């Protein structure tokens, strides 16, 4: 069960469209789905498995976290660092995953 789709990633950060294409330095749309989103989901499962049976049901919070983690990783791979304007998304996602695993936040589905 996918936590996010390429359309979810694009809707969370519109300029990501400029990184997806077929030029040598571009990220392909297949990579967005099969690498970056998959990596984000695995990262999330590693945190959520402490408290939940994984994969968890997809809900808006889970989609947001997966999308923001995928965006952060794509930016890191493309630029060599997570840009300052993306870092808060990564930090928020990591904080929420930590709180979900600890039971300080709970998934509703």
């Amino acid at each position: 069960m996918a936590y996010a789709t390429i359309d979810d990633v694009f809707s969370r950060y519109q300029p990501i469209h400029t990184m997806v294409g077929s030029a040598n330095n571009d990220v392909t749309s297949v990579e967005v789905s099969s690498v970056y989103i998959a990596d984000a989901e695995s990262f999330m499962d590693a945190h959520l498995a402490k408290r939940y049976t994984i994969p968890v049901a997809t809900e808006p919070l889970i989609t947001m976290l997966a999308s923001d983690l995928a965006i952060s990783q794509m930016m890191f791979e493309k630029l060599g660092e997570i840009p300052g304007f993306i870092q808060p998304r990564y930090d928020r996602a990591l904080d929420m995953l930590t709180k979900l695993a600890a039971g300080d936040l709970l998934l509703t589905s």
Side-chain angles (χ1 to χ4, degrees):
M1 170 187 306
Y3 293 158
T5 66
I6 191 169
D7 291 333
D8 294 323
V9 170
F10 286 159
S11 71
R12 295 277 309 146
Y13 184 62
Q14 291 293 322
I16 209 80
H17 283 279
T18 63
M19 292 176 58
V20 177
S22 58
N24 286 342
N25 293 329
D26 288 345
V27 175
T28 67
S29 57
V30 170
E31 289 174 318
V32 175
S33 298
S34 66
V35 176
Y36 297 108
I37 293 173
D39 287 353
E41 292 169 350
S42 293
F43 182 76
M44 292 173 64
D45 284 347
H47 280 78
L48 297 173
K50 294 176 187 176
R51 183 163 203 77
Y52 297 95
T53 300
I54 55 169
V56 297
T58 302
E59 59 181 66
L61 176 62
I62 292 298
T63 300
M64 178 189 78
L65 296 176
S67 298
D68 285 351
L69 289 169
I71 290 165
S72 300
Q73 186 62 29
M74 283 192 316
M75 298 294 271
F76 179 79
E77 292 286 328
K78 180 87 168 170
L79 304 174
E81 64 182 354
I82 298 175
F85 62 93
I86 295 293
Q87 188 69 47
R89 288 176 184 235
Y90 176 81
D91 293 341
R92 178 185 58 207
L94 185 56
D95 181 58
M96 290 180 131
L97 286 172
T98 301
K99 288 178 178 176
L100 285 165
D104 296 330
L105 291 176
L106 298 174
L107 295 175
T108 57
S109 57

XYZ file of all heavy atoms in Angstrom:
838
model
N 0.848 -1.173 0.000
C 0.000 0.000 0.000
C 0.893 1.236 0.000
O 1.705 1.429 0.887
C -0.899 -0.017 1.242
C -1.652 1.266 1.455
S -2.556 1.367 3.014
C -3.544 -0.094 2.958
N 0.762 2.047 -1.008
C 1.561 3.264 -1.113
C 0.998 4.339 -0.192
O -0.210 4.519 -0.098
C 1.569 3.750 -2.548
N 1.898 5.007 0.492
C 1.488 6.105 1.365
C 1.292 7.398 0.577
O 0.575 8.287 1.013
C 2.530 6.341 2.449
C 2.672 5.219 3.456
C 3.846 5.077 4.187
C 1.655 4.311 3.698
C 3.993 4.070 5.122
C 1.788 3.298 4.623
C 2.968 3.182 5.335
O 3.115 2.180 6.269
N 1.967 7.512 -0.562
C 1.869 8.715 -1.385
C 2.087 8.330 -2.841
O 2.654 7.287 -3.139
C 2.921 9.735 -0.949
N 1.637 9.191 -3.720
C 1.838 9.016 -5.153
C 2.685 10.176 -5.662
O 2.891 11.168 -4.948
C 0.495 9.006 -5.912
O -0.096 10.314 -5.792
C -0.454 7.944 -5.368
N 3.107 10.068 -6.896
C 3.869 11.162 -7.490
C 3.023 12.438 -7.524
O 3.537 13.538 -7.316
C 4.412 10.788 -8.886
C 5.430 11.832 -9.352
C 3.292 10.564 -9.867
C 6.202 11.431 -10.587
N 1.723 12.301 -7.736
C 0.846 13.479 -7.735
C 0.779 14.122 -6.348
O 0.703 15.347 -6.241
C -0.564 13.111 -8.209
C -0.594 12.765 -9.692
O 0.272 13.264 -10.446
O -1.476 11.991 -10.093
N 0.815 13.307 -5.300
C 0.852 13.860 -3.934
C 2.121 14.668 -3.725
O 2.090 15.755 -3.146
C 0.787 12.744 -2.889
C -0.527 11.990 -2.891
O -1.586 12.621 -3.103
O -0.481 10.759 -2.692
N 3.241 14.124 -4.187
C 4.523 14.823 -4.049
C 4.468 16.146 -4.805
O 4.830 17.196 -4.269
C 5.690 13.943 -4.551
C 6.982 14.732 -4.633
C 5.860 12.731 -3.639
N 3.987 16.115 -6.043
C 3.896 17.347 -6.831
C 2.963 18.370 -6.195
O 3.221 19.563 -6.235
C 3.423 17.048 -8.256
C 4.469 16.403 -9.125
C 4.092 15.692 -10.234
C 5.825 16.497 -8.839
C 5.040 15.088 -11.058
C 6.776 15.900 -9.647
C 6.382 15.200 -10.760
N 1.873 17.907 -5.611
C 0.927 18.852 -5.011
C 1.471 19.478 -3.730
O 1.090 20.581 -3.367
C -0.425 18.188 -4.751
O -0.327 17.262 -3.690
N 2.385 18.796 -3.045
C 2.968 19.334 -1.809
C 4.049 20.371 -2.086
O 4.324 21.214 -1.243
C 3.574 18.217 -0.964
C 2.594 17.219 -0.442
C 1.874 17.619 0.815
N 2.788 18.049 1.845
C 2.500 18.995 2.726
N 1.334 19.590 2.687
N 3.368 19.336 3.652
N 4.692 20.284 -3.259
C 5.749 21.239 -3.585
C 5.843 21.378 -5.105
O 6.522 20.608 -5.764
C 7.085 20.789 -2.980
C 8.203 21.781 -3.201
C 8.120 23.062 -2.679
C 9.319 21.432 -3.946
C 9.133 23.984 -2.893
C 10.339 22.347 -4.158
C 10.242 23.621 -3.629
O 11.244 24.538 -3.846
N 5.128 22.351 -5.647
C 5.010 22.522 -7.097
C 6.347 22.652 -7.837
O 6.500 22.079 -8.914
C 4.125 23.736 -7.417
C 2.670 23.544 -7.063
C 2.002 22.495 -7.923
O 2.279 22.388 -9.111
N 1.126 21.705 -7.325
N 7.345 23.374 -7.319
C 8.602 23.512 -8.071
C 9.345 22.194 -8.305
O 10.285 22.153 -9.088
C 9.441 24.451 -7.195
C 8.439 25.252 -6.451
C 7.311 24.274 -6.176
N 8.930 21.125 -7.657
C 9.589 19.841 -7.857
C 9.445 19.395 -9.317
O 10.275 18.637 -9.827
C 9.040 18.781 -6.866
C 10.107 17.747 -6.544
C 7.832 18.085 -7.378
C 11.093 18.188 -5.552
N 8.438 19.911 -10.021
C 8.251 19.589 -11.445
C 9.508 19.901 -12.246
O 9.807 19.224 -13.216
C 7.071 20.374 -12.039
C 5.741 19.831 -11.677
N 5.174 18.754 -12.317
C 4.848 20.219 -10.744
C 3.987 18.501 -11.796
N 3.777 19.376 -10.836
N 10.250 20.937 -11.853
C 11.435 21.329 -12.609
C 12.583 20.340 -12.427
O 13.541 20.368 -13.192
C 11.918 22.737 -12.207
O 12.304 22.731 -10.831
C 10.843 23.775 -12.453
N 12.507 19.474 -11.424
C 13.554 18.481 -11.187
C 13.250 17.156 -11.891
O 14.103 16.290 -11.954
C 13.696 18.207 -9.688
C 14.234 19.369 -8.897
S 14.257 19.032 -7.125
C 15.287 17.580 -7.041
N 12.039 17.001 -12.371
C 11.624 15.736 -12.973
C 11.608 15.888 -14.486
O 10.958 16.776 -15.013
C 10.235 15.307 -12.456
C 9.765 14.037 -13.128
C 10.279 15.134 -10.947
N 12.354 15.034 -15.148
C 12.418 15.095 -16.603
C 13.304 14.007 -17.142
O 13.510 12.977 -16.502
N 13.887 14.254 -18.301
C 14.714 13.232 -18.935
C 16.145 13.680 -19.192
O 16.926 12.932 -19.766
C 14.068 12.791 -20.256
O 13.914 13.906 -21.104
N 16.523 14.890 -18.791
C 17.908 15.347 -18.959
C 18.810 14.606 -17.983
O 18.341 13.988 -17.022
C 17.986 16.858 -18.738
N 20.089 14.659 -18.206
C 21.046 13.906 -17.391
C 20.932 14.189 -15.894
O 21.093 13.290 -15.085
C 22.474 14.193 -17.847
C 22.803 13.516 -19.156
O 22.119 12.595 -19.571
N 23.847 13.988 -19.817
N 20.698 15.415 -15.513
C 20.653 15.778 -14.095
C 19.259 15.701 -13.503
O 19.078 15.986 -12.323
C 21.220 17.179 -13.876
C 22.709 17.232 -14.174
O 23.418 16.249 -13.984
N 23.175 18.364 -14.642
N 18.275 15.369 -14.316
C 16.894 15.311 -13.837
C 16.623 14.008 -13.099
O 17.291 13.003 -13.284
C 15.907 15.418 -15.003
C 15.836 16.806 -15.597
O 16.321 17.759 -14.950
O 15.304 16.938 -16.708
N 15.603 14.047 -12.281
C 15.065 12.863 -11.628
C 13.918 12.381 -12.502
O 13.080 13.181 -12.921
C 14.540 13.233 -10.215
C 13.858 12.058 -9.555
C 15.655 13.782 -9.354
N 13.858 11.105 -12.799
C 12.757 10.617 -13.625
C 11.515 10.407 -12.761
O 11.614 10.215 -11.551
C 13.109 9.286 -14.323
O 13.243 8.264 -13.322
C 14.385 9.407 -15.133
N 10.369 10.432 -13.401
C 9.135 10.205 -12.649
C 9.110 8.805 -12.055
O 8.553 8.592 -10.983
C 7.902 10.460 -13.521
O 7.929 9.644 -14.661
N 9.744 7.848 -12.725
C 9.828 6.489 -12.183
C 10.635 6.498 -10.890
O 10.275 5.841 -9.914
C 10.441 5.516 -13.214
C 10.752 4.173 -12.590
C 9.526 5.369 -14.412
N 11.728 7.270 -10.854
C 12.536 7.363 -9.636
C 11.752 7.992 -8.490
O 11.911 7.593 -7.337
C 13.809 8.172 -9.886
C 14.824 7.470 -10.738
C 16.003 8.343 -11.075
O 15.807 9.540 -11.399
O 17.128 7.835 -11.013
N 10.931 8.976 -8.801
C 10.128 9.601 -7.747
C 9.283 8.533 -7.071
O 9.263 8.428 -5.836
C 9.229 10.738 -8.295
C 8.323 11.270 -7.197
C 10.073 11.855 -8.874
N 8.628 7.699 -7.851
C 7.747 6.671 -7.298
C 8.505 5.482 -6.735
O 8.252 5.044 -5.613
C 6.774 6.183 -8.365
O 5.952 7.235 -8.793
N 9.449 4.954 -7.508
C 10.067 3.689 -7.107
C 11.263 3.853 -6.190
O 11.674 2.889 -5.549
C 10.466 2.884 -8.347
O 11.481 3.552 -9.060
N 11.818 5.039 -6.094
C 12.970 5.248 -5.218
C 12.607 6.179 -4.061
O 12.610 5.771 -2.899
C 14.188 5.801 -5.993
C 15.337 6.105 -5.052
C 14.621 4.825 -7.074
N 12.278 7.419 -4.364
C 12.126 8.415 -3.300
C 10.894 8.176 -2.435
O 10.973 8.253 -1.215
C 12.145 9.830 -3.886
C 13.469 10.119 -4.540
C 13.594 10.195 -5.918
C 14.621 10.255 -3.771
C 14.821 10.432 -6.512
C 15.853 10.487 -4.360
C 15.949 10.576 -5.736
O 17.166 10.791 -6.320
N 9.761 7.891 -3.045
C 8.568 7.601 -2.246
C 8.752 6.273 -1.517
O 8.436 6.165 -0.327
C 7.291 7.603 -3.116
C 7.011 9.023 -3.623
C 6.102 7.068 -2.327
C 5.877 9.125 -4.629
N 9.298 5.279 -2.190
C 9.530 3.983 -1.538
C 10.488 4.119 -0.356
O 10.274 3.516 0.697
C 10.075 2.981 -2.551
N 11.544 4.916 -0.519
C 12.482 5.146 0.589
C 11.799 5.861 1.755
O 12.017 5.526 2.922
C 13.688 5.965 0.129
C 14.658 5.172 -0.733
O 14.475 3.944 -0.872
O 15.596 5.796 -1.268
N 10.975 6.849 1.430
C 10.252 7.570 2.480
C 9.321 6.628 3.235
O 9.245 6.662 4.472
C 9.455 8.729 1.872
N 8.636 5.754 2.513
C 7.726 4.796 3.147
C 8.491 3.817 4.031
O 8.041 3.497 5.139
C 6.920 4.066 2.079
C 5.937 4.977 1.373
C 5.306 4.379 0.140
O 5.750 3.301 -0.324
O 4.363 5.002 -0.385
N 9.638 3.361 3.585
C 10.449 2.449 4.402
C 10.935 3.146 5.668
O 10.928 2.553 6.758
C 11.654 1.947 3.599
O 11.234 1.142 2.547
N 11.351 4.386 5.530
C 11.795 5.184 6.675
C 10.649 5.351 7.673
O 10.822 5.190 8.884
C 12.296 6.543 6.176
C 12.832 7.436 7.232
C 14.092 7.226 7.779
C 12.093 8.529 7.683
C 14.601 8.070 8.759
C 12.594 9.372 8.651
C 13.854 9.141 9.194
N 9.462 5.639 7.146
C 8.293 5.795 8.005
C 7.945 4.482 8.699
O 7.681 4.466 9.907
C 7.104 6.294 7.182
C 7.275 7.707 6.677
S 5.977 8.221 5.549
C 4.555 8.147 6.638
N 7.956 3.388 7.961
C 7.639 2.088 8.549
C 8.608 1.728 9.670
O 8.205 1.151 10.676
C 7.638 0.993 7.479
C 6.394 1.014 6.612
O 5.411 1.695 6.969
O 6.410 0.331 5.564
N 9.876 2.076 9.483
C 10.867 1.794 10.529
C 10.515 2.507 11.832
O 10.732 1.968 12.917
C 12.260 2.208 10.059
N 9.959 3.696 11.726
C 9.528 4.432 12.925
C 8.194 3.908 13.455
O 8.032 3.682 14.653
C 9.390 5.931 12.612
C 10.677 6.664 12.618
N 11.568 6.600 11.579
C 11.227 7.473 13.541
C 12.610 7.346 11.856
N 12.435 7.883 13.044
N 7.244 3.733 12.549
C 5.881 3.395 12.956
C 5.745 1.963 13.464
O 4.820 1.663 14.220
C 4.919 3.636 11.798
C 4.809 5.097 11.330
C 3.954 5.194 10.077
C 4.265 5.987 12.442
N 6.652 1.085 13.076
C 6.578 -0.320 13.495
C 6.700 -0.475 15.007
O 6.288 -1.499 15.557
C 7.665 -1.133 12.796
N 7.208 0.533 15.690
C 7.308 0.486 17.151
C 5.924 0.441 17.801
O 5.762 -0.085 18.881
C 8.066 1.715 17.672
C 9.498 1.777 17.264
C 10.118 3.082 17.756
C 11.508 3.272 17.216
N 12.072 4.572 17.615
N 4.936 1.014 17.099
C 3.620 1.156 17.711
C 2.482 0.580 16.862
O 1.439 0.222 17.384
C 3.346 2.626 17.987
C 2.037 2.896 18.689
C 2.049 4.288 19.283
N 1.133 4.438 20.358
C 1.307 4.004 21.592
N 2.380 3.377 21.918
N 0.407 4.220 22.521
N 2.671 0.519 15.558
C 1.595 0.135 14.646
C 1.980 -1.100 13.840
O 3.151 -1.378 13.638
C 1.294 1.276 13.655
C 0.792 2.540 14.314
C 1.665 3.574 14.637
C -0.550 2.696 14.618
C 1.205 4.737 15.243
C -1.025 3.849 15.224
C -0.137 4.866 15.529
O -0.590 6.005 16.130
N 0.954 -1.793 13.359
C 1.177 -2.831 12.373
C 1.362 -2.125 11.040
O 0.519 -1.309 10.647
C -0.032 -3.784 12.297
O -0.220 -4.375 13.588
C 0.184 -4.855 11.261
N 2.469 -2.413 10.388
C 2.746 -1.728 9.134
C 2.487 -2.653 7.954
O 2.554 -3.872 8.119
C 4.197 -1.196 9.092
C 5.175 -2.326 9.362
C 4.373 -0.061 10.074
C 6.594 -1.972 9.085
N 2.152 -2.145 6.814
C 1.967 -0.737 6.531
C 0.678 -0.219 7.179
O -0.286 -0.969 7.313
C 1.862 -0.674 5.010
C 1.357 -2.017 4.611
C 1.888 -2.985 5.629
N 0.709 1.028 7.572
C -0.470 1.630 8.185
C -1.432 2.059 7.080
O -1.048 2.176 5.912
C -0.093 2.837 9.080
C 0.768 2.402 10.246
C 0.592 3.936 8.288
N -2.664 2.282 7.452
C -3.655 2.775 6.490
C -3.264 4.184 6.062
O -2.788 4.989 6.858
C -5.048 2.785 7.123
N -3.452 4.448 4.785
C -3.116 5.770 4.266
C -4.197 6.757 4.689
O -5.381 6.503 4.535
C -2.986 5.727 2.732
O -1.993 4.765 2.404
C -2.589 7.073 2.185
N -3.741 7.842 5.250
C -4.613 8.944 5.629
C -3.856 10.225 5.320
O -2.647 10.172 5.041
C -5.021 8.845 7.096
C -3.870 8.851 8.076
C -4.354 8.726 9.517
O -4.896 7.683 9.897
O -4.183 9.706 10.245
N -4.500 11.378 5.356
C -3.829 12.617 4.950
C -2.496 12.885 5.669
O -1.539 13.316 5.020
C -4.862 13.700 5.266
C -6.170 12.998 5.098
C -5.933 11.609 5.630
N -2.415 12.607 6.946
C -1.164 12.836 7.662
C -0.047 11.948 7.114
O 1.077 12.406 6.897
C -1.346 12.587 9.169
C -0.078 12.712 10.015
C 0.492 14.126 9.940
C -0.349 12.315 11.450
N -0.347 10.698 6.868
C 0.645 9.759 6.347
C 1.097 10.186 4.953
O 2.298 10.160 4.636
C 0.076 8.326 6.327
C -0.131 7.833 7.773
C 0.944 7.378 5.545
C 1.142 7.748 8.602
N 0.169 10.613 4.122
C 0.504 11.082 2.778
C 1.382 12.317 2.843
O 2.370 12.432 2.106
C -0.773 11.351 1.963
O -1.510 10.132 1.862
C -0.454 11.878 0.579
N 1.065 13.247 3.735
C 1.867 14.446 3.899
C 3.294 14.098 4.314
O 4.259 14.593 3.741
C 1.247 15.386 4.945
C 2.065 16.646 5.192
S 1.489 17.626 6.598
C 2.155 16.678 7.961
N 3.429 13.227 5.308
C 4.755 12.853 5.797
C 5.568 12.159 4.707
O 6.739 12.485 4.491
C 4.637 11.955 7.029
C 3.992 12.581 8.267
C 3.846 11.541 9.374
C 4.768 13.790 8.747
N 4.965 11.219 4.001
C 5.676 10.506 2.933
C 6.095 11.460 1.820
O 7.222 11.387 1.318
C 4.802 9.383 2.375
N 5.216 12.361 1.454
C 5.529 13.329 0.395
C 6.669 14.250 0.812
O 7.608 14.480 0.043
C 4.287 14.155 0.049
O 3.268 13.336 -0.452
N 6.592 14.780 2.022
C 7.637 15.699 2.481
C 8.983 14.998 2.643
O 10.031 15.574 2.331
C 7.226 16.378 3.785
C 6.183 17.472 3.571
O 5.912 17.818 2.402
O 5.658 17.983 4.567
N 8.980 13.761 3.092
C 10.233 13.011 3.190
C 10.808 12.723 1.805
O 12.022 12.825 1.593
C 10.031 11.717 3.974
C 9.804 11.893 5.472
C 9.357 10.577 6.097
C 11.061 12.417 6.162
N 9.955 12.378 0.853
C 10.416 12.129 -0.513
C 10.996 13.398 -1.131
O 12.055 13.373 -1.761
C 9.277 11.584 -1.371
N 10.325 14.519 -0.934
C 10.817 15.805 -1.449
C 12.178 16.131 -0.839
O 13.110 16.520 -1.550
C 9.802 16.926 -1.150
C 8.551 16.748 -1.998
C 10.430 18.311 -1.378
C 7.364 17.575 -1.542
N 12.301 15.954 0.466
C 13.567 16.246 1.144
C 14.703 15.397 0.582
O 15.802 15.903 0.330
C 13.435 15.992 2.648
O 12.442 16.801 3.216
N 14.444 14.119 0.374
C 15.475 13.228 -0.148
C 15.846 13.576 -1.585
O 17.018 13.552 -1.948
C 15.028 11.768 -0.050
C 16.097 10.784 -0.427
C 17.326 10.861 0.480
O 17.247 11.207 1.639
N 18.479 10.542 -0.075
N 14.852 13.912 -2.403
C 15.141 14.310 -3.777
C 16.004 15.566 -3.809
O 16.966 15.644 -4.575
C 13.852 14.563 -4.562
C 13.181 13.302 -4.990
S 11.845 13.505 -6.185
C 10.925 14.866 -5.578
N 15.662 16.530 -2.971
C 16.441 17.769 -2.916
C 17.862 17.488 -2.448
O 18.822 18.031 -2.994
C 15.764 18.785 -1.994
C 14.388 19.214 -2.448
S 14.397 20.128 -3.986
C 14.586 21.770 -3.372
N 18.011 16.618 -1.463
C 19.332 16.265 -0.962
C 20.156 15.594 -2.063
O 21.323 15.926 -2.277
C 19.226 15.351 0.258
C 20.561 14.944 0.797
C 21.285 15.813 1.594
C 21.091 13.706 0.497
C 22.530 15.450 2.077
C 22.340 13.328 0.970
C 23.062 14.211 1.768
N 19.548 14.642 -2.769
C 20.252 13.940 -3.837
C 20.634 14.885 -4.978
O 21.708 14.779 -5.541
C 19.389 12.803 -4.391
C 19.169 11.678 -3.420
C 20.398 10.800 -3.225
O 21.171 10.635 -4.172
O 20.556 10.288 -2.109
N 19.745 15.808 -5.293
C 19.970 16.726 -6.414
C 20.967 17.824 -6.061
O 21.825 18.168 -6.866
C 18.630 17.336 -6.825
C 18.673 18.299 -7.951
C 18.560 17.608 -9.257
C 18.311 18.656 -10.341
N 18.419 18.114 -11.642
N 20.870 18.352 -4.832
C 21.665 19.520 -4.455
C 22.814 19.218 -3.497
O 23.637 20.080 -3.232
C 20.750 20.585 -3.824
C 19.573 21.039 -4.684
C 18.676 21.970 -3.893
C 20.071 21.709 -5.959
N 22.825 18.023 -2.925
C 23.869 17.688 -1.963
C 23.567 18.127 -0.543
O 24.360 17.906 0.369
N 22.433 18.760 -0.363
C 21.986 19.184 0.964
C 20.487 19.424 0.903
O 19.920 19.577 -0.169
C 22.707 20.445 1.426
C 22.408 21.662 0.566
C 23.165 22.906 0.991
O 23.853 22.875 2.025
O 23.068 23.910 0.286
N 19.869 19.449 2.058
C 18.451 19.809 2.110
C 18.406 21.331 2.249
O 18.928 21.882 3.221
C 17.724 19.144 3.293
C 17.768 17.617 3.153
C 16.268 19.619 3.369
C 17.176 16.869 4.330
N 17.831 22.031 1.271
C 17.798 23.494 1.338
C 17.062 23.992 2.577
O 16.173 23.317 3.103
C 17.034 23.889 0.068
C 17.087 22.710 -0.828
C 17.181 21.512 0.070
N 17.432 25.167 3.016
C 16.832 25.754 4.214
C 15.323 25.855 4.166
O 14.659 25.690 5.186
N 14.763 26.086 2.994
C 13.311 26.220 2.904
C 12.600 24.868 2.912
O 11.393 24.804 3.106
C 12.901 27.043 1.670
C 13.293 26.429 0.354
C 12.417 25.612 -0.345
C 14.542 26.690 -0.186
C 12.785 25.057 -1.554
C 14.916 26.143 -1.404
C 14.040 25.322 -2.087
N 13.339 23.774 2.726
C 12.766 22.429 2.786
C 13.042 21.782 4.144
O 12.276 20.935 4.605
C 13.331 21.546 1.647
C 12.897 22.081 0.286
C 12.924 20.086 1.797
C 11.394 21.972 0.024
N 14.099 22.182 4.806
C 14.495 21.583 6.081
C 13.355 21.541 7.101
O 13.168 20.515 7.765
C 15.711 22.313 6.664
C 16.300 21.647 7.886
C 16.966 20.316 7.579
O 17.738 20.220 6.637
N 16.669 19.298 8.363
N 12.545 22.605 7.243
C 11.429 22.520 8.204
C 10.436 21.401 7.892
O 9.885 20.791 8.802
C 10.752 23.891 8.104
C 11.833 24.795 7.628
C 12.685 23.954 6.700
N 10.224 21.078 6.632
C 9.330 19.969 6.273
C 9.911 18.643 6.754
O 9.195 17.803 7.284
C 9.132 19.895 4.755
C 8.287 20.990 4.194
C 8.250 20.853 2.672
N 7.514 21.941 2.092
C 6.473 21.799 1.287
N 6.052 20.599 0.959
N 5.859 22.839 0.804
N 11.214 18.467 6.525
C 11.878 17.243 6.976
C 11.833 17.151 8.498
O 11.491 16.109 9.056
C 13.323 17.202 6.481
C 14.063 16.002 7.006
C 13.924 14.763 6.395
C 14.870 16.099 8.131
C 14.578 13.644 6.896
C 15.526 14.986 8.633
C 15.376 13.769 8.012
O 16.014 12.665 8.512
N 12.171 18.259 9.165
C 12.184 18.270 10.633
C 10.800 17.974 11.199
O 10.664 17.211 12.158
C 12.681 19.620 11.153
C 14.147 19.878 10.828
O 14.891 18.914 10.525
O 14.545 21.061 10.872
N 9.775 18.561 10.595
C 8.402 18.326 11.056
C 8.012 16.860 10.849
O 7.417 16.240 11.731
C 7.428 19.234 10.317
C 5.958 18.996 10.728
C 4.987 19.795 9.918
N 5.147 19.476 8.507
C 4.844 20.309 7.521
N 4.373 21.507 7.784
N 5.009 19.950 6.268
N 8.366 16.307 9.701
C 8.038 14.899 9.425
C 8.723 13.981 10.426
O 8.094 13.071 10.978
C 8.439 14.532 7.995
N 9.994 14.212 10.692
C 10.725 13.388 11.645
C 10.145 13.534 13.051
O 9.971 12.544 13.771
C 12.208 13.751 11.634
C 13.111 12.895 12.499
C 12.997 11.414 12.137
C 14.549 13.367 12.370
N 9.804 14.754 13.428
C 9.208 14.996 14.749
C 7.863 14.274 14.881
O 7.588 13.630 15.901
C 9.034 16.503 14.971
C 8.437 16.823 16.327
O 9.023 16.425 17.358
O 7.369 17.486 16.361
N 7.040 14.349 13.847
C 5.733 13.688 13.904
C 5.882 12.171 13.935
O 5.153 11.494 14.660
C 4.863 14.114 12.729
C 4.403 15.546 12.837
S 3.382 15.987 11.428
C 2.011 16.712 12.280
N 6.827 11.632 13.175
C 7.060 10.182 13.211
C 7.518 9.739 14.592
O 7.077 8.705 15.099
C 8.099 9.780 12.167
C 7.620 9.783 10.728
C 8.796 9.567 9.779
C 6.552 8.726 10.518
N 8.377 10.518 15.210
C 8.849 10.214 16.564
C 7.685 10.245 17.547
O 7.559 9.356 18.402
C 9.940 11.222 16.987
O 11.019 11.132 16.039
C 10.458 10.943 18.381
N 6.803 11.239 17.409
C 5.640 11.346 18.296
C 4.638 10.224 18.048
O 4.038 9.710 18.993
C 4.984 12.712 18.145
C 5.806 13.830 18.762
C 5.171 15.183 18.570
C 6.022 16.241 19.244
N 5.522 17.595 19.014
N 4.463 9.845 16.791
C 3.564 8.729 16.480
C 4.106 7.432 17.090
O 3.349 6.642 17.662
C 3.385 8.584 14.967
C 2.488 9.618 14.300
C 2.673 9.594 12.784
C 1.026 9.382 14.661
N 5.391 7.212 16.961
C 6.002 5.984 17.504
C 5.923 5.947 19.022
O 5.774 4.881 19.616
C 7.453 5.873 17.039
N 6.008 7.119 19.643
C 5.972 7.198 21.107
C 4.544 7.190 21.667
O 4.345 7.034 22.858
C 6.695 8.456 21.576
N 3.570 7.398 20.794
C 2.184 7.447 21.256
C 1.740 8.836 21.665
O 0.626 9.005 22.171
N 2.578 9.843 21.420
C 2.182 11.219 21.732
C 1.209 11.762 20.703
O 0.439 12.674 20.990
C 3.426 12.130 21.794
C 4.359 11.730 22.927
O 3.883 11.206 23.942
O 5.579 11.953 22.767
N 1.242 11.232 19.501
C 0.244 11.463 18.458
C -0.276 10.093 18.049
O 0.465 9.101 18.123
C 0.861 12.130 17.231
C 1.335 13.566 17.337
C 2.015 13.987 16.026
C 0.179 14.499 17.624
N -1.522 10.021 17.621
C -2.108 8.741 17.211
C -2.737 8.862 15.843
O -3.348 9.884 15.520
C -3.164 8.282 18.218
C -2.667 8.018 19.633
C -3.836 7.713 20.553
C -1.672 6.870 19.651
N -2.569 7.835 15.044
C -3.259 7.786 13.760
C -4.718 7.473 14.008
O -5.050 6.705 14.913
C -2.633 6.725 12.857
C -1.189 6.999 12.444
C -0.635 5.810 11.654
C -1.087 8.274 11.649
N -5.603 8.033 13.218
C -7.035 7.885 13.482
C -7.662 6.726 12.724
O -8.770 6.323 13.047
C -7.775 9.186 13.122
O -7.518 9.513 11.751
C -7.321 10.315 14.019
N -6.989 6.206 11.713
C -7.635 5.156 10.906
C -7.223 3.777 11.376
O -6.209 3.530 11.947
C -7.322 5.330 9.434
O -5.937 5.340 9.210
